Amino acid sequence: MNTKKNIKKIIIKKPLTLDCGKTINNYPLAYETYGKLNEKKDNAILAFHALSGDQFVSGINPITNKSGWWSHLVGPNKSIDTNKFFVICANVIGGCMGSYGPSNVEPTTGKRLDTNFPVITINDMVNAQYNLLEFFKIEKLFCVTGGSMGGMQVLQFVANYPNKSKTAIPIACSASHSAQNIALNELGRQAIMADQNWNKGNYFNTNSSPTKGLAVARMAAHITYLSKKGLEEKFGRKLQERDNLKFSFDADFQIESYLRHQGSVFVDRFDANSYLYITRAMDYFDLIKEYNGNLSNAFKESKTKFFIISFTSDWLYPTSENKEILIALNASGADVGFIEINSDKGHDSFLLDIPDFLKSIKNFVEANY
Amino acid sequence: MKKEFKIIAQLIENNTRVLDVGCGDGILMKYLKDNKNIDTRGLEISKNNVQVCIGKGLTVIEGNAEKDLQQFPNSSFDYVILSQTLQAFYNPEKVINDLLKVANKAIVTIPNFGYWKVRSHLLFKGTMPITKDLPDEWYNTPNLHMCTIKDFFNFCSKKNIKLYKSIALHEQKTSNINKMNLNLKNLSSEVGIFLIENEN
């Protein structure tokens, strides 16, 4: 892995009281920006990343040397055109790309925080990132957007700061993490914790991290990002570099090989403890409960113009859950548009080059800027 | 903009909140927004049309009026528009009821099945009528519940729906429909335009 030394960071002095009750201050928030903030400071878009994402939205991620997670959507002459817009993205707290997270070393002890890191929430992530507005002296963002966990942050941001963004595009998300999604996250966490190398979270000094557990967690999660039809079309029952079954537990099928690969590359860039903390934050997300069972109240004060996007084959954050947000926004009288994009690629669709999806975002941001 | 939309626009007061059900590519919504300072929302079943509307800066929700009207709170709009789609619903009566829940007033337009060309087509040719406003064959038409101007007129009185205004449209010309001329207008008009309100 490349050095993380050159990652841009701000140290946030202002104390932040977390939902768990603990207060943090002087903590790092790593971020990246694309494009230029104009003189009027009205062209800023705050993008929120998903579970396994980071601040490197576009171009080449300097740590992994791979394309940024939203490079189809964000960049010069892309749907979110960075010749025009100033895109900011921060690594969430709890993450492992430079922001305050379990891999942080506590200066007083010289040790990694690991499981001494507090349990954080989506609300905490959003409140930490709000400091970026002050840092860039932005009075009001043009847009907040993100998919999956990023979409949850969009909803929380508008609920917390009703008039700090002109528009909001929550994508493939939910206002309340479903039992199915909690179950799937728990599967991932248990895989990590079942790995002996996890060592109750204190694996840094043992020189062996729970890579097997984290890889299994990633493999299981990866299946949930796809769809049955997508898997069928891409892999079917095709065999991996062989003509016949081997009568063994090797990766006979292409899908097995693919998942193993996804698992193994993930462990190189992601910290197992971060995975535990971030999935926990997703599970705790329940904006409906936060507003006493009435989601409309979350958006009552807001004048933000919303555009909700879901995908037909997404079974992790299905259209029905996205529509709950739509209904709540309509009930609060908000300005809200909605489209369901046709795609066989499952939840992953929001990260992919899907022309109708890219077009819908371009249409929306261009028409409203 | 087509004549029908111009008439609809004239029926709507400035500075109001309007829901356009089946807003298509948003021509009417855009007109209302730009010229009458109206806060518009659209509900549209076609993804392509939703994309076009979003590109015009219009707020449109992809959805089906038979399922998705209920998401809007009662009386959340001053007017709701339903242009030439009533006949395509499984349950037009329920849609009308839902329209009058979400808005105080509804503007409903219908292709008139009582128009003389439609009648003569069936009478003389003996096949299902195909006209400018009803271009599809019987086997692929989206229209499930065709009605006439007279049918709609009677429906309103039977269901205690107040008919504020009834306008007949024929070749760009408009005229008011009343009880006296109902049979004539039902024969001579291609489209009926109705401004309705719930009695209670």
Side-chain angles (χ1 to χ4, degrees), chain A residues 37-76:
Chain A
L37 186 61
N38 64 12
E39 266 183 37
K40 283 162 78 185
K41 301 198 172 197
D42 67 356
N43 68 333
I45 296 178
L46 182 57
F48 297 105
H49 71 73
L51 163 60
S52 62
D54 53 40
Q55 63 271 42
F56 301 109
V57 174
S58 182
I60 298 295
N61 181 324
I63 308 299
T64 62
N65 290 320
K66 291 197 171 136
S67 294
W69 54 273
W70 238 359
S71 47
H72 294 300
L73 186 82
V74 177

Side-chain angles (χ1 to χ4, degrees), chain A residues 305 307 323 326-327 330-331 333-340 342 356 359-360 363-364 367, chain B residues 17 33 41 47-48 50-52 54-63 68 71-73:
Chain A
K305 181 168 182 170
F307 182 36
K323 273 196 157 179
L326 171 67
I327 291 165
N330 269 322
D335 188 339
V336 55
F338 165 75
I339 193 165
E340 183 192 43
N342 280 328
D356 281 346
K359 187 169 94 182
S360 67
N363 283 347
F364 181 78
Chain B
R17 262 174 73 84
K33 190 181 167 193
R41 300 282 189 280
K47 291 182 198 296
N48 278 342
V50 175
Q51 290 271 20
V52 172
I54 298 290
K56 290 178 179 173
L58 300 169
T59 299
V60 173
I61 291 166
E62 183 191 336
D68 296 312
Q71 69 182 279
F72 299 101

